[in-house]
Amino acid sequence: MTSARGTGPDTGIKSTDTLISILEVLQSRDGAGVTEIAEELDRSKSTVHSHLQSLRAHRCIRKDGTTYRLGLRFLSFGGHACNRTGLLEIVRPEVDGLVEETGETAQMVVEEHGRGIYVCQSRGAEAVRTDSHVGTEVGLHCTAVGKAILAHLPEDRVREIADRHGLPPRTDETVTDLDELFAALERVRERGYAIDDGERIPGIRCVAAPVRTDDGVIGALSVNGPTKRLEGEYFREKLPSLVGRAARVVEINATYA
Amino acid sequence: MTSARGTGPDTGIKSTDTLISILEVLQSRDGAGVTEIAEELDRSKSTVHSHLQSLRAHRCIRKDGTTYRLGLRFLSFGGHACNRTGLLEIVRPEVDGLVEETGETAQMVVEEHGRGIYVCQSRGAEAVRTDSHVGTEVGLHCTAVGKAILAHLPEDRVREIADRHGLPPRTDETVTDLDELFAALERVRERGYAIDDGERIPGIRCVAAPVRTDDGVIGALSVNGPTKRLEGEYFREKLPSLVGRAARVVEINATYA
DNA sequence: ACGAACGTTCCTCGTGACCGAACCGACCCG
DNA sequence: CGGGTCGGTTCGGTCACGAGGAACGTTCGT
């Protein structure tokens, strides 16, 4: 069984391990007190307290009364991370365009360390409210964006990712078998786009197209919405063509920038 | 002069100090190598290296060939930080609305630790390209959003912030005197909105309105654009009324959520 | 007014962060 | 091809410093 000290890897600088585990607790609870964190991580209150003090001195967390919360400084770090290539500038108009054309939710997801991260999202007026937003992490095997990305990664890379993160089921529809996943990826390559039919959230369908440059896949664009609105010819023909076109525009702008 | 060990405070957990200083270097350079970071921070290569290894194991940074870069995981932390109240959900439509009405750039800025951080931004087709994006940090004294926020903070809080961060000049127009700043804040309170006329970036004007709830100011909304398009009655009357109306909508939705 | 629960401070001990130096591999010269 | 340079990576000893327990202060609720 895994150690009582959270779930993170125990490697390199130990203080960093505890630091990150504290951040993870803050993230999972939307803020917490010293005792709460200490118990969760099975560490002394004083240890947690001094870490929190240090993080606060660096403006990484904020203290509202007696509860500590993640700070906005991480947005600053993260913003730099995904804006360094000017990617957002290129992506936003296309994501907004997809929302205008469909009225649903559209987003751009980028792969990093075998996980998908939303870097841009736009929601239509009638769009369903999901819990996802910029910064949300998703597994690659259970989302359309994920499969669109995986389909264009080298096979051993896919195995490595599946090995590292597993294929945890999110709903009854989630692909949990590696061979089955590879078959799905083959279909994605044939069609040029990926779909997710309730594999992450029941009742939610999603169409995604990969965004590829000379460096390989840099991410995927997608539109998602309720199954009842996304069906028939619209779901099978129109939506893939809209998403695909947007993805190609991003590709072109990304390669000449 | 300042110490050779970066600029951060030396308090609490020392490893955290070095960790953050490394992140700061990565941020300021858009990625860097081990040696480069070690020299910048005046530390041994091995120290920097083990920190980088550790950060990478936690998916906080990525390694492209031989250069290390900030990772998207920070977006995940930051996203949680600014989305916990559902604020973004409320703000985005208003920011987008302002862009539609003006064609310029609009944004929401939130104060934290005496600095302003962009949590939402939208750019019109004709909007000027500035270097700001979600996650960008700005000083409060030299921006319209900042002054809109400061104007509704307690006076001692303002002094504290000015004391901590100073009033560094960004352009010839920047307010650098504390009394002058207080006078400006008084005008902001009278008018209900704040302006920035080239105080941060020459040739760029900005109109901002505070967003206040029972908890105090939670941030400010603003529109900015080139001086030549933002002038006369439009700048003095129309724009403030548009921005103010959007801010009030956010206020209402934020208090009943 | 009392007790409980929590955040904060203090102090002591054992360890892990730091460094220097050696190692390795890539790249660039002649 | 071979030597040199520049970068990243590995290794082991040392001593500052982070961990932890206990005591203290404060803020609740009753």
Coordinates of all heavy atoms in Angstrom, one line a residue, chain B residues 44-124:
Chain B
S44 N 25.1 26.4 -6.3 CA 25.7 25.4 -7.1 C 24.8 24.7 -8.1 O 23.6 24.7 -7.9 CB 26.2 24.3 -6.1 OG 25.2 23.5 -5.6
K45 N 25.4 24.2 -9.2 CA 24.6 23.5 -10.2 C 23.8 22.4 -9.6 O 22.7 22.1 -9.9 CB 25.5 23.0 -11.3 CG 26.0 24.1 -12.2 CD 26.6 23.5 -13.5 CE 27.9 22.7 -13.3 NZ 28.4 22.1 -14.5
S46 N 24.5 21.6 -8.7 CA 23.9 20.4 -8.1 C 22.6 20.8 -7.4 O 21.6 20.1 -7.5 CB 24.9 19.7 -7.3 OG 25.5 20.5 -6.4
T47 N 22.7 21.8 -6.6 CA 21.5 22.2 -5.9 C 20.3 22.5 -6.8 O 19.2 22.0 -6.6 CB 21.8 23.5 -5.0 OG1 22.9 23.2 -4.1 CG2 20.6 24.0 -4.3
V48 N 20.6 23.4 -7.8 CA 19.6 23.7 -8.7 C 19.1 22.5 -9.4 O 17.8 22.3 -9.6 CB 20.1 24.7 -9.8 CG1 19.1 24.9 -10.9 CG2 20.5 26.1 -9.1
H49 N 20.0 21.6 -9.8 CA 19.6 20.4 -10.5 C 18.6 19.6 -9.7 O 17.6 19.1 -10.2 CB 20.8 19.6 -10.9 CG 20.5 18.3 -11.6 ND1 20.6 17.1 -11.0 CD2 20.1 18.1 -12.8 CE1 20.2 16.2 -11.8 NE2 19.9 16.8 -13.0
S50 N 18.9 19.4 -8.4 CA 18.1 18.5 -7.6 C 16.7 19.1 -7.4 O 15.7 18.4 -7.4 CB 18.7 18.1 -6.3 OG 19.0 19.2 -5.5
H51 N 16.7 20.4 -7.3 CA 15.4 21.1 -7.2 C 14.6 20.9 -8.4 O 13.4 20.6 -8.4 CB 15.6 22.6 -6.9 CG 15.7 22.9 -5.5 ND1 14.6 23.1 -4.6 CD2 16.7 23.2 -4.7 CE1 15.0 23.4 -3.4 NE2 16.3 23.4 -3.4
L52 N 15.2 21.1 -9.6 CA 14.5 20.9 -10.8 C 14.0 19.5 -11.0 O 12.9 19.3 -11.4 CB 15.5 21.2 -12.0 CG 15.8 22.7 -12.2 CD1 16.9 22.9 -13.2 CD2 14.6 23.5 -12.5
Q53 N 14.8 18.5 -10.6 CA 14.4 17.1 -10.7 C 13.1 16.9 -9.9 O 12.2 16.3 -10.3 CB 15.5 16.2 -10.1 CG 16.7 16.0 -11.0 CD 16.3 15.3 -12.3 OE1 15.9 15.9 -13.3 NE2 16.4 14.0 -12.2
S54 N 13.2 17.5 -8.7 CA 12.0 17.3 -7.8 C 10.8 18.0 -8.3 O 9.7 17.4 -8.3 CB 12.4 17.9 -6.4 OG 11.5 17.5 -5.4
L55 N 10.9 19.2 -8.8 CA 9.8 19.9 -9.4 C 9.2 19.1 -10.6 O 8.0 19.0 -10.8 CB 10.2 21.3 -9.9 CG 10.3 22.3 -8.8 CD1 11.1 23.5 -9.2 CD2 8.9 22.7 -8.3
R56 N 10.1 18.5 -11.3 CA 9.7 17.8 -12.5 C 8.9 16.5 -12.1 O 7.9 16.2 -12.7 CB 10.9 17.4 -13.4 CG 10.4 17.0 -14.8 CD 11.5 17.2 -15.8 NE 12.6 16.2 -15.6 CZ 12.7 15.2 -16.5 NH1 11.8 15.0 -17.5 NH2 13.6 14.3 -16.4
A57 N 9.4 15.9 -11.0 CA 8.7 14.7 -10.5 C 7.3 15.0 -10.1 O 6.4 14.2 -10.2 CB 9.5 14.1 -9.4
H58 N 7.1 16.3 -9.7 CA 5.7 16.7 -9.3 C 5.0 17.4 -10.4 O 4.0 18.0 -10.2 CB 5.9 17.7 -8.1 CG 6.3 17.0 -6.8 ND1 5.4 16.1 -6.2 CD2 7.4 17.0 -6.2 CE1 6.1 15.7 -5.1 NE2 7.3 16.2 -5.1
R59 N 5.5 17.2 -11.7 CA 4.8 17.8 -12.8 C 4.7 19.3 -12.8 O 3.8 19.8 -13.4 CB 3.5 17.1 -13.1 CG 3.5 15.6 -13.0 CD 2.3 15.0 -13.7 NE 1.0 15.7 -13.5 CZ 0.2 15.6 -12.5 NH1 0.4 14.7 -11.6 NH2 -0.9 16.3 -12.5
C60 N 5.6 20.0 -12.1 CA 5.5 21.4 -12.0 C 6.3 22.1 -13.1 O 6.1 23.3 -13.4 CB 5.9 21.9 -10.6 SG 4.8 21.5 -9.3
I61 N 7.3 21.4 -13.6 CA 8.0 22.0 -14.7 C 8.2 21.0 -15.8 O 8.0 19.8 -15.5 CB 9.4 22.5 -14.3 CG1 10.2 21.4 -13.7 CG2 9.3 23.7 -13.3 CD1 11.6 21.8 -13.4
R62 N 8.5 21.4 -17.0 CA 8.8 20.5 -18.1 C 10.2 20.7 -18.6 O 10.8 21.8 -18.5 CB 7.7 20.6 -19.2 CG 7.5 22.0 -19.6 CD 6.4 22.1 -20.7 NE 6.8 21.2 -21.8 CZ 5.9 20.9 -22.8 NH1 4.7 21.3 -22.7 NH2 6.3 20.1 -23.8
K63 N 10.7 19.7 -19.2 CA 12.1 19.8 -19.7 C 12.0 19.6 -21.2 O 11.7 18.5 -21.7 CB 12.9 18.7 -19.1 CG 14.3 18.7 -19.3 CD 15.0 17.5 -18.7 CE 16.5 17.4 -19.1 NZ 17.1 16.2 -18.5
D64 N 12.3 20.6 -22.0 CA 12.4 20.5 -23.4 C 13.8 20.4 -23.8 O 14.5 21.4 -23.9 CB 11.7 21.8 -24.1 CG 10.2 21.9 -23.8 OD1 9.7 20.8 -23.4 OD2 9.7 22.9 -24.0
G65 N 14.3 19.2 -24.1 CA 15.7 19.0 -24.4 C 16.5 19.4 -23.2 O 16.5 18.7 -22.2
T66 N 17.2 20.5 -23.3 CA 18.1 20.8 -22.2 C 17.7 22.0 -21.4 O 18.3 22.5 -20.5 CB 19.5 21.0 -22.8 OG1 20.4 21.4 -21.8 CG2 19.5 22.1 -23.8
T67 N 16.5 22.6 -21.8 CA 16.0 23.8 -21.1 C 14.8 23.4 -20.3 O 13.9 22.6 -20.7 CB 15.7 24.9 -22.0 OG1 14.6 24.6 -22.8 CG2 16.9 25.4 -22.8
Y68 N 14.7 23.9 -19.1 CA 13.6 23.7 -18.2 C 12.6 24.9 -18.3 O 13.0 26.0 -18.4 CB 14.0 23.6 -16.8 CG 14.8 22.3 -16.5 CD1 16.2 22.3 -16.7 CD2 14.2 21.2 -16.0 CE1 16.9 21.1 -16.4 CE2 14.9 20.0 -15.8 CZ 16.3 20.0 -16.0 OH 17.0 18.9 -15.7
R69 N 11.3 24.6 -18.3 CA 10.3 25.6 -18.4 C 9.2 25.4 -17.3 O 9.0 24.3 -16.9 CB 9.6 25.6 -19.7 CG 10.5 25.8 -20.9 CD 9.7 25.8 -22.2 NE 10.6 25.7 -23.3 CZ 11.2 26.7 -23.8 NH1 11.1 27.9 -23.3 NH2 12.0 26.6 -24.9
L70 N 8.5 26.5 -17.0 CA 7.4 26.3 -16.1 C 6.3 25.4 -16.7 O 6.1 25.4 -17.9 CB 6.7 27.7 -15.8 CG 7.6 28.7 -15.0 CD1 6.9 30.0 -14.9 CD2 7.8 28.1 -13.6
G71 N 5.7 24.6 -15.8 CA 4.7 23.7 -16.3 C 3.3 24.2 -16.1 O 3.0 25.2 -15.4
L72 N 2.4 23.5 -16.8 CA 1.0 23.9 -16.8 C 0.3 23.6 -15.5 O -0.8 24.0 -15.2 CB 0.2 23.3 -17.9 CG 0.7 23.8 -19.3 CD1 0.0 23.0 -20.4 CD2 0.3 25.2 -19.5
R73 N 0.9 22.8 -14.6 CA 0.3 22.4 -13.4 C -0.1 23.6 -12.5 O -1.0 23.6 -11.8 CB 1.2 21.5 -12.6 CG 0.4 20.9 -11.4 CD 1.1 19.7 -10.8 NE 0.1 19.1 -9.9 CZ 0.3 18.3 -8.9 NH1 1.6 18.0 -8.6 NH2 -0.6 17.8 -8.2
F74 N 0.7 24.7 -12.7 CA 0.5 25.9 -12.0 C -0.9 26.5 -12.4 O -1.5 27.2 -11.6 CB 1.6 26.9 -12.1 CG 2.9 26.5 -11.5 CD1 4.0 26.2 -12.2 CD2 2.9 26.3 -10.1 CE1 5.2 25.8 -11.6 CE2 4.1 25.9 -9.5 CZ 5.2 25.6 -10.2
L75 N -1.2 26.3 -13.6 CA -2.5 26.8 -14.1 C -3.6 26.1 -13.3 O -4.6 26.7 -13.0 CB -2.7 26.4 -15.6 CG -2.6 27.5 -16.6 CD1 -3.3 27.0 -17.9 CD2 -3.2 28.8 -16.2
S76 N -3.4 24.8 -13.0 CA -4.3 24.1 -12.2 C -4.5 24.7 -10.8 O -5.6 24.9 -10.3 CB -3.9 22.6 -12.1 OG -4.7 21.9 -11.3
F77 N -3.4 24.9 -10.2 CA -3.4 25.6 -8.9 C -4.1 26.9 -9.0 O -5.0 27.3 -8.2 CB -2.0 25.7 -8.3 CG -1.4 24.4 -7.8 CD1 -0.1 24.2 -8.1 CD2 -2.1 23.5 -7.2 CE1 0.5 23.0 -7.7 CE2 -1.5 22.3 -6.8 CZ -0.2 22.0 -7.0
G78 N -3.6 27.7 -9.9 CA -4.1 29.1 -10.1 C -5.6 29.1 -10.4 O -6.4 30.0 -10.0
G79 N -6.0 28.2 -11.3 CA -7.4 28.1 -11.7 C -8.3 27.9 -10.5 O -9.3 28.5 -10.3
H80 N -7.9 26.9 -9.6 CA -8.6 26.7 -8.4 C -8.7 28.0 -7.6 O -9.7 28.3 -7.0 CB -7.9 25.6 -7.6 CG -8.7 24.4 -7.5 ND1 -9.6 24.1 -6.6 CD2 -8.8 23.3 -8.4 CE1 -10.2 22.9 -6.8 NE2 -9.7 22.4 -7.9
A81 N -7.6 28.7 -7.5 CA -7.5 29.9 -6.7 C -8.6 30.9 -7.1 O -9.2 31.5 -6.2 CB -6.1 30.5 -6.7
C82 N -8.7 31.1 -8.4 CA -9.6 32.2 -8.8 C -11.0 31.7 -9.1 O -11.9 32.5 -9.4 CB -9.0 33.1 -9.8 SG -9.0 32.3 -11.5
N83 N -11.2 30.4 -9.1 CA -12.5 29.9 -9.5 C -13.3 29.4 -8.3 O -14.4 29.0 -8.5 CB -12.3 28.8 -10.5 CG -13.3 28.9 -11.6 OD1 -13.4 30.0 -12.3 ND2 -14.1 27.9 -11.8
R84 N -12.7 29.5 -7.2 CA -13.4 28.8 -6.0 C -14.7 29.5 -5.7 O -15.6 28.9 -5.3 CB -12.5 28.9 -4.8 CG -12.0 30.2 -4.4 CD -11.4 30.3 -3.0 NE -10.8 31.6 -2.8 CZ -9.6 31.9 -3.1 NH1 -8.8 31.1 -3.6 NH2 -9.2 33.2 -2.9
T85 N -14.8 30.8 -6.0 CA -16.1 31.5 -5.7 C -17.0 31.4 -6.9 O -18.1 32.0 -6.8 CB -15.8 32.9 -5.3 OG1 -15.0 33.5 -6.3 CG2 -15.0 33.0 -4.0
G86 N -16.6 30.8 -8.0 CA -17.3 30.8 -9.2 C -17.3 32.2 -9.8 O -18.1 32.6 -10.7
L87 N -16.3 33.0 -9.4 CA -16.2 34.4 -9.9 C -16.1 34.4 -11.4 O -16.7 35.2 -12.1 CB -15.0 35.0 -9.2 CG -14.8 36.5 -9.5 CD1 -16.0 37.3 -9.0 CD2 -13.5 37.0 -9.0
L88 N -15.2 33.6 -11.9 CA -15.0 33.6 -13.4 C -16.2 33.4 -14.2 O -16.4 34.1 -15.2 CB -14.0 32.6 -13.8 CG -12.5 32.9 -13.7 CD1 -11.6 31.8 -14.2 CD2 -12.3 34.2 -14.5
E89 N -17.1 32.5 -13.8 CA -18.4 32.3 -14.4 C -19.2 33.5 -14.6 O -19.8 33.7 -15.6 CB -19.2 31.3 -13.6 CG -18.6 29.9 -13.5 CD -18.8 29.1 -14.8 OE1 -19.9 29.1 -15.3 OE2 -17.8 28.5 -15.2
I90 N -19.1 34.3 -13.6 CA -19.9 35.6 -13.5 C -19.2 36.7 -14.4 O -19.9 37.4 -15.1 CB -20.0 36.1 -12.1 CG1 -20.8 35.0 -11.2 CG2 -20.7 37.4 -12.0 CD1 -20.6 35.2 -9.8
V91 N -17.9 36.7 -14.2 CA -17.1 37.8 -14.8 C -17.0 37.7 -16.4 O -17.2 38.7 -17.1 CB -15.7 37.9 -14.2 CG1 -14.8 38.8 -15.0 CG2 -15.8 38.3 -12.8
R92 N -16.8 36.4 -16.8 CA -16.5 36.3 -18.3 C -17.6 36.9 -19.2 O -17.2 37.6 -20.1 CB -16.3 34.8 -18.6 CG -16.2 34.6 -20.1 CD -15.4 33.4 -20.5 NE -14.1 33.4 -20.0 CZ -13.1 34.1 -20.5 NH1 -13.3 34.9 -21.5 NH2 -11.9 33.9 -20.0
P93 N -18.9 36.7 -19.0 CA -19.8 37.3 -19.9 C -19.8 38.8 -19.9 O -19.9 39.4 -21.0 CB -21.2 36.8 -19.3 CG -20.9 35.7 -18.4 CD -19.5 35.8 -18.0
E94 N -19.5 39.4 -18.8 CA -19.4 40.8 -18.7 C -18.2 41.4 -19.4 O -18.3 42.4 -20.1 CB -19.4 41.3 -17.2 CG -20.7 40.9 -16.5 CD -21.9 41.3 -17.3 OE1 -22.0 42.4 -17.8 OE2 -22.8 40.4 -17.4
V95 N -17.1 40.7 -19.2 CA -15.9 41.1 -19.9 C -16.1 41.0 -21.4 O -15.7 41.9 -22.2 CB -14.6 40.3 -19.4 CG1 -13.4 40.5 -20.3 CG2 -14.3 40.6 -18.0
D96 N -16.6 39.8 -21.8 CA -16.9 39.7 -23.3 C -17.9 40.7 -23.8 O -17.7 41.2 -24.9 CB -17.5 38.3 -23.5 CG -16.4 37.2 -23.4 OD1 -15.2 37.5 -23.5 OD2 -16.8 36.0 -23.2
G97 N -18.8 41.0 -23.0 CA -19.8 42.1 -23.3 C -19.1 43.4 -23.6 O -19.4 44.1 -24.6
L98 N -18.2 43.8 -22.7 CA -17.5 45.0 -22.8 C -16.7 45.1 -24.1 O -16.6 46.1 -24.8 CB -16.6 45.3 -21.6 CG -17.2 45.7 -20.4 CD1 -16.3 45.7 -19.2 CD2 -17.8 47.1 -20.5
V99 N -16.1 43.9 -24.5 CA -15.3 43.8 -25.7 C -16.3 44.1 -26.9 O -15.9 44.8 -27.9 CB -14.6 42.5 -25.8 CG1 -14.0 42.3 -27.2 CG2 -13.5 42.4 -24.8
E100 N -17.4 43.4 -26.9 CA -18.4 43.6 -28.0 C -18.8 45.0 -28.1 O -18.9 45.5 -29.2 CB -19.6 42.7 -27.7 CG -19.7 41.5 -28.6 CD -20.9 40.7 -28.2 OE1 -22.0 41.1 -28.4 OE2 -20.7 39.5 -27.7
E101 N -19.0 45.7 -27.0 CA -19.5 47.1 -27.1 C -18.4 48.1 -27.5 O -18.7 49.1 -28.0 CB -20.1 47.5 -25.7 CG -21.4 46.8 -25.3 CD -21.7 46.8 -23.9 OE1 -20.8 47.0 -23.0 OE2 -22.9 46.7 -23.5
T102 N -17.2 47.7 -27.2 CA -16.1 48.7 -27.4 C -15.1 48.3 -28.5 O -14.5 49.2 -29.1 CB -15.3 48.9 -26.1 OG1 -14.6 47.7 -25.8 CG2 -16.2 49.3 -24.9
G103 N -14.9 47.0 -28.7 CA -14.0 46.6 -29.7 C -12.5 46.6 -29.1 O -11.6 46.2 -29.8
E104 N -12.4 47.1 -27.9 CA -11.1 47.1 -27.3 C -10.8 45.9 -26.4 O -11.5 44.9 -26.5 CB -11.0 48.4 -26.4 CG -11.3 49.7 -27.1 CD -10.3 50.1 -28.2 OE1 -9.2 49.5 -28.2 OE2 -10.6 51.0 -29.0
T105 N -9.8 46.0 -25.5 CA -9.5 44.9 -24.6 C -10.1 45.2 -23.3 O -10.1 46.3 -22.8 CB -8.0 44.8 -24.4 OG1 -7.3 44.7 -25.7 CG2 -7.6 43.6 -23.5
A106 N -10.7 44.1 -22.7 CA -11.3 44.3 -21.4 C -10.8 43.2 -20.4 O -10.4 42.1 -20.9 CB -12.9 44.2 -21.5
Q107 N -10.8 43.5 -19.1 CA -10.3 42.5 -18.2 C -10.8 42.7 -16.8 O -11.3 43.8 -16.4 CB -8.7 42.5 -18.2 CG -8.1 43.9 -17.9 CD -7.7 44.5 -19.2 OE1 -7.0 43.8 -20.0 NE2 -8.0 45.8 -19.4
M108 N -10.6 41.7 -16.0 CA -10.9 41.7 -14.6 C -9.6 41.5 -13.9 O -8.9 40.5 -14.2 CB -11.9 40.6 -14.2 CG -12.1 40.4 -12.7 SD -13.5 41.4 -12.1 CE -13.3 41.1 -10.3
V109 N -9.4 42.3 -12.9 CA -8.2 42.2 -12.1 C -8.5 42.1 -10.6 O -9.5 42.7 -10.1 CB -7.3 43.5 -12.3 CG1 -6.1 43.4 -11.3 CG2 -6.7 43.5 -13.7
V110 N -7.9 41.1 -9.9 CA -8.1 40.9 -8.5 C -6.9 41.3 -7.7 O -5.8 41.0 -8.2 CB -8.5 39.4 -8.3 CG1 -8.5 39.1 -6.8 CG2 -9.9 39.2 -8.9
E111 N -7.1 41.9 -6.5 CA -6.0 42.2 -5.7 C -5.6 41.1 -4.8 O -6.4 40.4 -4.3 CB -6.3 43.4 -4.8 CG -5.2 43.9 -3.9 CD -5.3 43.3 -2.5 OE1 -6.4 42.8 -2.1 OE2 -4.2 43.3 -1.9
E112 N -4.3 40.8 -4.7 CA -3.8 39.9 -3.7 C -2.4 40.2 -3.3 O -1.6 40.5 -4.1 CB -3.9 38.4 -4.3 CG -3.7 37.4 -3.2 CD -4.0 36.0 -3.8 OE1 -5.2 35.6 -3.9 OE2 -3.1 35.2 -4.0
H113 N -2.2 40.3 -2.0 CA -0.9 40.6 -1.4 C -0.4 42.0 -2.0 O 0.8 42.1 -2.2 CB 0.1 39.6 -1.7 CG -0.2 38.2 -1.1 ND1 0.0 38.0 0.2 CD2 -0.7 37.1 -1.7 CE1 -0.4 36.7 0.5 NE2 -0.8 36.2 -0.7
G114 N -1.3 42.9 -2.2 CA -0.9 44.2 -2.7 C -0.5 44.3 -4.1 O 0.0 45.3 -4.5
R115 N -0.8 43.3 -4.9 CA -0.6 43.4 -6.3 C -1.9 43.0 -7.1 O -2.8 42.4 -6.5 CB 0.5 42.3 -6.7 CG 1.8 42.4 -6.0 CD 2.8 43.3 -6.6 NE 3.2 42.8 -8.0 CZ 3.8 43.5 -8.9 NH1 4.1 44.8 -8.6 NH2 4.2 43.0 -10.0
G116 N -2.0 43.4 -8.3 CA -3.1 43.1 -9.1 C -2.8 42.0 -10.0 O -1.7 41.9 -10.6
I117 N -3.8 41.0 -10.2 CA -3.6 39.9 -11.1 C -4.7 39.8 -12.0 O -5.9 39.7 -11.6 CB -3.3 38.6 -10.3 CG1 -2.1 38.7 -9.4 CG2 -3.3 37.4 -11.2 CD1 -1.6 37.4 -8.8
Y118 N -4.4 39.7 -13.3 CA -5.5 39.5 -14.3 C -6.1 38.1 -14.2 O -5.4 37.1 -14.3 CB -4.9 39.6 -15.7 CG -4.5 41.0 -16.2 CD1 -3.7 41.8 -15.5 CD2 -5.0 41.4 -17.4 CE1 -3.4 43.1 -15.9 CE2 -4.7 42.7 -17.9 CZ -3.9 43.5 -17.2 OH -3.6 44.7 -17.6
V119 N -7.4 38.0 -13.9 CA -8.0 36.7 -13.8 C -8.8 36.4 -15.1 O -9.2 35.3 -15.3 CB -8.8 36.5 -12.6 CG1 -8.0 36.7 -11.3 CG2 -10.0 37.5 -12.5
C120 N -9.1 37.4 -15.9 CA -9.9 37.2 -17.0 C -9.6 38.3 -18.0 O -9.5 39.5 -17.6 CB -11.4 37.2 -16.6 SG -12.5 37.1 -17.9
Q121 N -9.5 38.0 -19.3 CA -9.2 39.0 -20.3 C -9.8 38.6 -21.6 O -9.9 37.4 -21.9 CB -7.7 39.2 -20.5 CG -7.4 40.3 -21.4 CD -5.9 40.5 -21.6 OE1 -5.2 39.5 -22.0 NE2 -5.4 41.7 -21.5
S122 N -10.3 39.6 -22.3 CA -10.8 39.3 -23.6 C -10.4 40.5 -24.5 O -10.3 41.6 -24.1 CB -12.4 39.3 -23.6 OG -12.9 38.7 -24.7
R123 N -10.1 40.1 -25.8 CA -9.5 41.1 -26.7 C -10.4 41.3 -27.9 O -10.8 40.3 -28.5 CB -8.2 40.6 -27.1 CG -7.1 41.7 -27.2 CD -5.9 41.1 -27.8 NE -5.1 40.3 -26.9 CZ -4.2 40.7 -26.0 NH1 -4.0 42.0 -26.0 NH2 -3.5 39.9 -25.3
G124 N -10.7 42.5 -28.3 CA -11.5 42.7 -29.5 C -10.6 42.5 -30.8 O -9.4 42.4 -30.7

